[in-house]
Amino acid sequence: MALSLKENIILCAVLCLLITPSVAELPRFKQPLNESRQSLHFLVVGDWGRKGTHNQSFVANQMGIVGVKLNIDFVISTGDNFYEDGLKGVEDPAFYESFVDIYTAPSLQKTWYSVLGNHDYRGDVEAQLSPVLKEKDSRWLCLRSFILDGEIVEFLFVDTTPFVDDYFQDPGEHTYDWEGVLPRMSYLSQLLVDVNSTLAKSKAKWKMVVGHHTIYSAGHHGNTEELKQILLPILEANNVDAYINGHDHCLEHIIDKNSGIHFLTSGGGSKAWSSDIKPWNLEELKLYYDGQGFMSMQITERNADIIFYDVSGKPLHTWSISKEPKLAASI
């Protein structure tokens, strides 16, 4: 009997763990350490592109203030960069209305390393990936999947939308731009090989993966079962420290009791979903906040210090992950 698409992808994921890492590599960018402090400081925001509405402008203002205090080196966007249906093209004014003219603080004039979300796939995907946007604003860097080499930390940005069955099988009224993804099985198979190869070869002190969709979440969307079955085993096998995502419009911190992986949701860049939470083991759920906000991280060779902030810039939750010794504790 023929295997289902999901069964084929799962089989591919298993094979990825057995094969020799491939010679080919995803696009790689370098983010040098701050020489004076030998660390990297950055902000993470997701699900933001609403032309300043739904408190997007207020979140942006507080990001600018925190960015100064931390002297950040860059920003990570976890996707859903332009609502409701991505960009219509490279000349779409939404690029200015939701990005350029919103994140105007001097501290935010750093590179924005961005992944695509499911709403971005409802527009012209190639427009968001186009170098034309970087010519309009040099901060913008968005690819489907890529590597960010931060010397002590390696970030692997993964295109998660094509993993989700519903977008293909039950899209409802929505139309998705799958150019560059089809045939889906081939695209996902190669991506899984690239993910495993990148993580297996990495010599960085820290390994972190960034994607739009949740793997584990107590929020509205909950767990993304396709990623839980297909991507998570690769992360676990390669000792990934953290998975950073958006998609659920909240701020959230889960520590998996089995693998020790930190699941960090920063999807509060604009519209949030109040009182939308599922039951979760409180030993694992360290934070769930159903409002707008963002996250910061400061990484040295020994520690990764995380802070979640609300729309007014108030710290909601802090946590320090230590490499020497391997501990994780509230601060």
Side-chain angles (χ1 to χ4, degrees):
M1 184 170 58
L3 296 176
S4 69
L5 178 62
K6 183 177 291 186
E7 288 170 332
N8 270 306
I9 299 173
I10 293 171
L11 177 59
C12 176
V14 173
L15 293 175
C16 282
L17 302 177
L18 302 176
I19 63 172
T20 303
S22 63
V23 176
E25 188 176 76
L26 293 168
R28 177 180 289 268
F29 302 89
K30 287 188 176 291
Q31 178 67 53
L33 287 177
N34 181 291
E35 291 186 5
S36 61
R37 63 178 187 237
Q38 287 297 293
S39 64
L40 286 175
H41 296 181
F42 60 94
L43 303 181
V44 183
V45 66
D47 304 84
W48 43 266
R50 297 184 186 271
K51 302 180 182 180
T53 66
H54 296 279
N55 286 342
Q56 183 193 0
S57 293
F58 291 102
V59 173
N61 182 59
Q62 293 301 325
M63 288 174 63
I65 293 170
V66 172
V68 170
K69 292 178 181 177
L70 299 184
N71 188 21
I72 62 167
D73 301 297
F74 58 94
V75 178
I76 287 176
S77 169
T78 58
D80 277 0
N81 307 315
F82 302 99
Y83 285 96
E84 288 286 330
D85 299 312
L87 293 178
K88 295 180 176 66
V90 294
E91 300 300 331
D92 191 331
F95 182 68
Y96 286 90
E97 295 165 345
S98 287
F99 177 63
V100 178
D101 297 338
I102 300 296
Y103 301 101
T104 56
S107 67
L108 303 181
Q109 306 308 302
K110 307 290 174 66
T111 301
W112 283 55
Y113 298 103
S114 307
V115 290
L116 298 167
N118 52 296
H119 282 268
D120 300 311
Y121 263 99
R122 295 179 190 173
D124 182 348
V125 170
E126 288 300 324
Q128 278 201 58
L129 307 180
S130 173
V132 172
L133 295 190
K134 194 167 184 63
E135 294 172 5
K136 295 176 182 292
D137 190 317
S138 61
R139 295 177 292 172
W140 187 252
L141 194 158
C142 182
L143 288 84
R144 296 184 195 270
S145 300
F146 62 98
I147 302 161
L148 178 60
D149 180 356
E151 298 183 26
I152 58 174
V153 55
E154 194 158 274
F155 298 93
L156 175 56
F157 290 72
V158 178
D159 184 20
T160 60
T161 300
F163 284 94
V164 180
D165 288 338
D166 276 354
Y167 302 142
F168 293 85
Q169 298 173 1
D170 188 21
E173 63 184 13
H174 305 299
T175 300
Y176 292 87
D177 177 9
W178 296 128
E179 184 178 354
V181 170
L182 300 178
R184 181 187 178 205
M185 185 60 202
S186 297
Y187 179 82
L188 291 178
S189 297
Q190 184 58 56
L191 180 54
L192 289 168
V193 170
D194 291 338
V195 167
N196 184 66
S197 175
T198 297
L199 294 174
K201 292 189 296 185
S202 176
K203 304 299 182 184
K205 189 81 171 182
W206 300 88
K207 290 189 278 190
M208 299 190 181
V209 176
V210 179
H212 175 65
H213 289 78
T214 62
I215 292 181
Y216 286 134
S217 175
H220 173 79
H221 290 297
N223 300 344
T224 303
E225 290 301 322
E226 294 89 345
L227 296 183
K228 184 178 171 183
Q229 295 180 37
I230 299 163
L231 184 62
L232 181 58
I234 298 176
L235 273 54
E236 292 173 336
N238 287 287
N239 300 311
V240 166
D241 297 289
Y243 177 77
I244 301 169
N245 62 273
H247 197 47
D248 267 342
H249 295 187
C250 63
L251 304 174
E252 185 176 19
H253 181 193
I254 291 172
I255 306 175
D256 182 66
K257 63 183 179 181
N258 296 316
S259 67
I261 296 175
H262 292 252
F263 295 90
L264 304 168
T265 298
S266 184
S270 58
K271 187 178 182 180
W273 299 320
S274 178
S275 303
D276 195 346
I277 180 172
K278 298 175 175 63
W280 203 275
N281 181 349
L282 295 181
E283 292 182 6
E284 294 186 325
L285 185 62
K286 305 303 179 183
L287 169 71
Y288 186 88
Y289 178 69
D290 57 355
Q292 293 100 345
F294 59 99
M295 186 185 88
S296 72
M297 188 178 291
Q298 302 172 71
I299 302 181
T300 66
E301 281 202 352
R302 295 190 174 188
N303 296 291
D305 294 330
I306 303 158
I307 305 177
F308 286 89
Y309 306 84
D310 70 9
V311 67
S312 66
K314 176 185 175 182
L316 297 168
H317 171 73
T318 61
W319 198 270
S320 183
I321 311 170
S322 178
K323 281 288 189 182
E324 299 177 12
K326 189 174 184 180
L327 298 172
S330 181
I331 57 175

